[in-house]
Amino acid sequence: MVGSNNAITDIGIGTMPVLIDESGRILLIDQRHLPDKFEYFDATSFDDMVHAIKVMVVRGAPSIGVAAGFSLAWESEIVARMSPSTFLTALKERGDRLKETRPTAVNLAWAVDLIINRAETMISAEGIGDLLQVVNRLKQEAHKIMDHHVEVNKRLSDFGAQLVSENAKILTHCNAGSLATCGWGTALGVVRSAHIKGLQPEVFVDETRPRHQGARLTMWELKQDNIPSTLVCDSMAGHLMAQGHVDLVVTGADRIAANGDTANKIGTYNLAVLASYHKIPFYIAAPLSTVDGALESGSGIPIEYRDQSEVLMMSDRFITVDGARAYNPAFDVTPANLITAIITEAGILRPDYNASIKDALATAFC
Amino acid sequence: MVGSNNAITDIGIGTMPVLIDESGRILLIDQRHLPDKFEYFDATSFDDMVHAIKVMVVRGAPSIGVAAGFSLAWESEIVARMSPSTFLTALKERGDRLKETRPTAVNLAWAVDLIINRAETMISAEGIGDLLQVVNRLKQEAHKIMDHHVEVNKRLSDFGAQLVSENAKILTHCNAGSLATCGWGTALGVVRSAHIKGLQPEVFVDETRPRHQGARLTMWELKQDNIPSTLVCDSMAGHLMAQGHVDLVVTGADRIAANGDTANKIGTYNLAVLASYHKIPFYIAAPLSTVDGALESGSGIPIEYRDQSEVLMMSDRFITVDGARAYNPAFDVTPANLITAIITEAGILRPDYNASIKDALATAFC
């Protein structure tokens, strides 16, 4: 299986970034090397998964959540054997280590908390007599998180496709496709669903410096699906819009506050301001697991700052002078007032987001 | 002289991108290879200069104008020897070839027209009896164009420095330094003048995809001058502004219409929209030779589209999938209503630009 390309174009769900192979290993597509190389990274060991999330072998808020769910469930077996008496404490410590890898995306914490809650519930009901049974249930839970994502992404994408007109020109940023979201995609899921509906969308893809997720991953996924795509530099969005080449903008999300403020890949906020100026709809597409109801607004979202070498270098070569300093926020926050709608599995949410998000959370399977 | 670095930090005028060496060769700093390699490109032959401008050995609207002025004056000597009877016709044909190399910047056409006008004036007054005397005068004229730029840039930069407060954080795009403008700089000239005044400005430098003039050239010039600088990706401007890290934006210009609409490096328009949204002043710094009074508005400015390989590749490596398509406008147009002021050698122009530009042109040495 390693090295194969499991994309099923047009009718498939896209390429799954996380999978469990026949011998129970947790394998991640190494997204750092796409599209040059398609290869899997073995993240079965807990430390390897922590490393893989940090260095972005796996990336995209939902995919990180799925990977973390598997990792914690798999690790629970080791913890159960090594220190059964302190099982929950040890599991929580592992959960915290996972949460610390990437601070901005909330899905990671969501998946970790879900696994730990399940463990707590089972142990409080049944005790720690048969921990391996708990472990098995946690593993099933991790699989359910993945299956849930595919289903949820398909559902939200069908809603999103209702916002796409025939021959729409869509601008997107970063990668919110199958690779980022564990099946189908969110922003790219909307494109995929519109394509399958026969709407013939065309996509402008922001290259998404510094790590080029748009150029490398979104362009790759769109090619898999034979959806027409054009790569642009992040600096070209305003000109594209002014020339009338953009009908709508859609991106994914890493964390959505209760009021609709949304953290996503650095550069998203630029697009939201530009779209607003040009009166072009700006949509966020994300599962409800991306909502952090505990946060009133985006000002509370922690922004990850990554190593400046990502900005100073490109393709392993320095692009600037020796000793240069760089600034490297990995995310920015788009205020709710710039977001035309948030596309979720519970439907298309509109302002006032405080109310519409609350309603959606109350009705959704989450 | 070839291979040396003639920058004089702090008190100098910066590194001159065009120079005439002792044997009368026209040498250009090969700006494609900075900061990795500092080397000169011999553009003495007319065909080599046409190539050098097209592939951006020399770039930056004013520097292209200076280089074209030298090239046409030098070429006039060859034309005078080969076809004296059709001297003016042949010279105009060469001028047209130069103008076609890069359609957006107006300084190129300005310098070409200036040389041809001088030739016409002299010939109509004195006939073609002593063409070599005409040639010598044209060469002097080309030198005057260069000297004029240094003087003009210093003057406009001193005006611009009045807009800079102490410890100002300045965001700039592309390179409008000495390399682009033949001495001192325009946008970067404002920074340099503010620095010399002791205002201690700090500069955020947009890397400026696809060709990285910010990362490669502006970062290099600021390092020469020991002015604190931080490299950012073009996608980070909105976040920087929202965080309060930007006090003003200043860029150069490639062509300014009579109403103040301004063409400049792709990405400038994004910054103007973002600055307006964040109520941050957005300034254009450019000599009056950048004004194209014949154009009512920016919609008439021809935008150069360059080869898509510039977007598809980085450091000679593809960054995306095989067969990908890309869009590569080299410039965009910022409408006058987003420009807080235009900094020129005749002073700081404010809206209504139709009036203020007209007044400036009427009073300026141009």
Side-chain angles (χ1 to χ4, degrees):
Chain A
M1 188 174 291
V2 174
S4 79
N5 179 338
N6 62 340
I8 308 163
T9 57
D10 289 330
I11 52 158
I13 57 169
T15 306
M16 293 299 283
V18 184
L19 62 89
I20 307 301
D21 76 356
E22 300 83 349
S23 42
R25 295 182 303 168
I26 310 175
L27 299 181
L28 306 172
I29 292 177
D30 196 332
Q31 298 190 39
R32 296 171 302 178
H33 302 144
L34 280 175
D36 293 342
K37 278 187 287 185
F38 185 98
E39 59 189 15
Y40 285 96
F41 180 100
D42 186 337
T44 314
S45 96
F46 184 78
D47 286 342
D48 287 343
M49 180 62 84
V50 166
H51 172 74
I53 296 176
K54 266 189 194 156
V55 303
M56 299 173 67
V57 170
V58 63
R59 34 65 55 196
S63 292
I64 293 171
V66 170
F70 278 120
S71 191
L72 196 58
W74 262 233
E75 181 70 0
S76 76
E77 185 167 359
I78 294 168
V79 171
R81 292 185 200 282
M82 284 176 59
S83 51
S85 60
T86 56
F87 178 77
L88 269 179
T89 317
L91 202 63
K92 284 178 186 168
E93 180 275 329
R94 303 297 196 282
D96 288 343
R97 277 188 60 202
L98 280 169
K99 284 183 186 177
E100 284 160 12
T101 51
R102 307 271 327 259
T104 301
V106 77
N107 317 58
L108 170 55
W110 174 87
V112 165
D113 290 344
L114 192 146
I115 295 288
I116 286 171
N117 287 345
R118 293 291 188 274
E120 281 178 329
T121 308
M122 286 177 64
I123 286 168
S124 75
E126 302 161 27
I128 57 166
D130 190 357
L131 269 185
L132 287 185
Q133 198 183 342
V134 174
V135 165
N136 283 335
R137 289 275 293 280
L138 296 183
K139 288 186 172 185
Q140 288 167 21
E141 209 60 56
H143 278 285
K144 273 173 64 182
I145 293 175
M146 178 150 78
D147 298 342
H148 169 69
H149 274 78
V150 177
E151 190 191 323
V152 154
N153 292 343
K154 277 188 159 179
R155 211 179 318 154
L156 74 84
S157 296
D158 285 342
F159 283 120
Q162 297 170 10
L163 299 168
V164 179
S165 56
E166 212 165 337
N167 301 312
K169 289 175 179 135
I170 300 174
L171 174 62
T172 190
H173 190 69
C174 196
N175 171 264
S178 193
L179 290 167
T181 66
C182 247
W184 202 257
T186 53
L188 229 46
V190 171
V191 171
R192 184 195 289 265
S193 292
H195 174 72
I196 287 172
K197 273 177 76 177
L199 295 171
Q200 302 191 286
E202 282 189 51
V203 187
F204 285 104
V205 179
D206 258 3
E207 64 171 336
T208 319
R209 278 279 289 153
R211 291 184 66 104
H212 279 140
Q213 292 94 333
R216 296 189 300 103
L217 308 176
T218 296
M219 290 294 287
W220 185 77
E221 288 200 46
L222 290 168
K223 186 180 176 187
Q224 302 277 321
D225 286 340
N226 294 311
I227 298 173
S229 60
T230 303
L231 183 65
V232 294
C233 297
D234 304 328
S235 58
M236 295 172 183
H239 181 69
L240 266 182
M241 292 181 189
Q243 299 288 307
H245 292 323
V246 181
D247 296 313
L248 65 96
V249 182
V250 62
T251 76
D254 286 77
R255 192 185 301 220
I256 301 174
N259 72 343
D261 291 353
T262 295
N264 192 48
K265 180 54 53 197
I266 187 75
T268 303
Y269 175 54
N270 278 19
L271 294 188
V273 171
L274 289 163
S276 169
Y277 181 78
H278 293 91
K279 303 193 187 343
I280 293 168
F282 176 87
Y283 301 118
I284 294 291
L288 287 167
S289 56
T290 313
V291 173
D292 182 353
L295 281 185
E296 265 182 51
S297 76
S299 62
I301 300 177
I303 297 295
E304 175 186 4
Y305 287 80
R306 296 184 61 84
D307 195 89
Q308 61 179 358
S309 62
E310 292 184 349
V311 175
L312 299 174
M313 300 178 82
M314 191 102 62
S315 302
D316 305 325
R317 280 176 56 181
F318 278 94
I319 57 163
T320 187
V321 292
D322 287 347
R325 184 171 59 181
Y327 180 67
N328 190 15
F331 302 92
D332 56 28
V333 175
T334 298
N337 67 302
L338 295 176
I339 300 170
T340 311
I342 300 176
I343 302 162
T344 75
E345 69 270 31
I348 296 164
L349 312 187
R350 303 274 182 179
D352 165 14
Y353 292 117
N354 273 306
S356 57
I357 289 176
K358 202 171 169 190
D359 287 351
L361 286 173
T363 58
F365 161 71
C366 204
Chain B
M1 188 174 291
V2 174
S4 79
N5 179 338
N6 62 339
I8 308 161
T9 57
D10 289 330
I11 51 159
I13 58 167
T15 305
M16 293 299 280
V18 184
L19 62 88
I20 307 301
D21 76 356
E22 300 83 348
S23 43
R25 294 182 303 168
I26 310 174
L27 299 180
L28 306 172
I29 292 178
D30 196 332
Q31 298 191 40
R32 297 172 302 178
H33 302 145
L34 281 174
D36 293 342
K37 279 187 288 187
F38 185 98
E39 58 188 17
Y40 284 96
F41 180 100
D42 186 337
T44 313
S45 98
F46 184 77
D47 286 342
D48 287 344
M49 179 63 84
V50 166
H51 173 73
I53 297 175
K54 266 189 194 155
V55 302
M56 299 172 66
V57 170
V58 62
R59 33 66 54 198
S63 292
I64 292 171
V66 170
F70 278 119
S71 190
L72 196 57
W74 263 233
E75 181 69 0
S76 76
E77 185 166 359
I78 293 169
V79 171
R81 293 188 200 280
M82 283 178 59
S83 52
S85 61
T86 56
F87 180 77
L88 269 178
T89 317
L91 202 63
K92 283 178 185 169
E93 180 274 329
R94 304 296 196 280
D96 288 342
R97 277 187 60 201
L98 281 169
K99 285 182 186 178
E100 283 159 13
T101 53
R102 308 268 333 255
T104 301
V106 78
N107 316 60
L108 171 54
W110 174 86
V112 165
D113 290 343
L114 191 146
I115 295 288
I116 286 172
N117 287 345
R118 292 290 188 275
E120 282 179 329
T121 308
M122 285 178 66
I123 287 169
S124 76
E126 301 161 29
I128 58 165
D130 190 357
L131 271 185
L132 287 186
Q133 198 182 339
V134 174
V135 165
N136 282 336
R137 290 276 292 283
L138 296 183
K139 288 186 173 185
Q140 288 166 22
E141 208 60 55
H143 277 287
K144 274 173 63 182
I145 293 175
M146 179 150 77
D147 297 343
H148 169 69
H149 273 79
V150 177
E151 189 190 326
V152 154
N153 292 343
K154 276 187 159 178
R155 211 179 318 155
L156 75 84
S157 296
D158 285 343
F159 283 120
Q162 297 170 11
L163 299 168
V164 178
S165 55
E166 211 166 337
N167 302 312
K169 288 178 179 131
I170 300 175
L171 175 62
T172 191
H173 191 69
C174 197
N175 171 264
S178 193
L179 290 167
T181 67
C182 246
W184 202 257
T186 52
L188 229 46
V190 171
V191 171
R192 183 195 290 266
S193 292
H195 174 73
I196 287 171
K197 274 177 76 176
L199 295 171
Q200 302 192 287
E202 281 189 50
V203 187
F204 285 103
V205 179
D206 259 3
E207 63 170 336
T208 319
R209 277 280 288 150
R211 291 184 66 105
H212 280 139
Q213 292 93 334
R216 296 190 299 104
L217 307 177
T218 296
M219 289 295 287
W220 186 76
E221 288 200 45
L222 290 168
K223 186 180 175 185
Q224 302 277 321
D225 286 340
N226 294 313
I227 298 173
S229 60
T230 303
L231 183 64
V232 294
C233 297
D234 304 327
S235 57
M236 295 171 183
H239 182 69
L240 266 181
M241 293 179 188
Q243 299 288 307
H245 292 324
V246 181
D247 296 314
L248 65 96
V249 182
V250 62
T251 76
D254 287 77
R255 190 185 301 220
I256 301 174
N259 72 343
D261 291 352
T262 296
N264 191 47
K265 180 54 53 199
I266 188 76
T268 303
Y269 175 55
N270 278 19
L271 294 188
V273 171
L274 289 162
S276 168
Y277 182 79
H278 292 90
K279 303 194 186 341
I280 293 169
F282 176 87
Y283 301 119
I284 294 291
L288 287 167
S289 56
T290 313
V291 173
D292 182 353
L295 280 185
E296 265 183 50
S297 75
S299 62
I301 300 177
I303 297 296
E304 175 185 4
Y305 286 80
R306 295 185 62 84
D307 195 88
Q308 61 178 358
S309 62
E310 292 184 349
V311 175
L312 299 174
M313 300 178 82
M314 190 102 60
S315 303
D316 305 326
R317 279 177 56 180
F318 278 93
I319 57 161
T320 187
V321 292
D322 288 346
R325 184 171 59 184
Y327 180 67
N328 190 14
F331 301 92
D332 56 28
V333 175
T334 298
N337 67 301
L338 295 176
I339 300 169
T340 311
I342 301 176
I343 303 162
T344 75
E345 69 270 31
I348 295 164
L349 313 187
R350 301 273 182 180
D352 166 14
Y353 291 117
N354 274 305
S356 56
I357 288 175
K358 201 172 169 187
D359 287 351
L361 286 174
T363 56
F365 161 70
C366 203

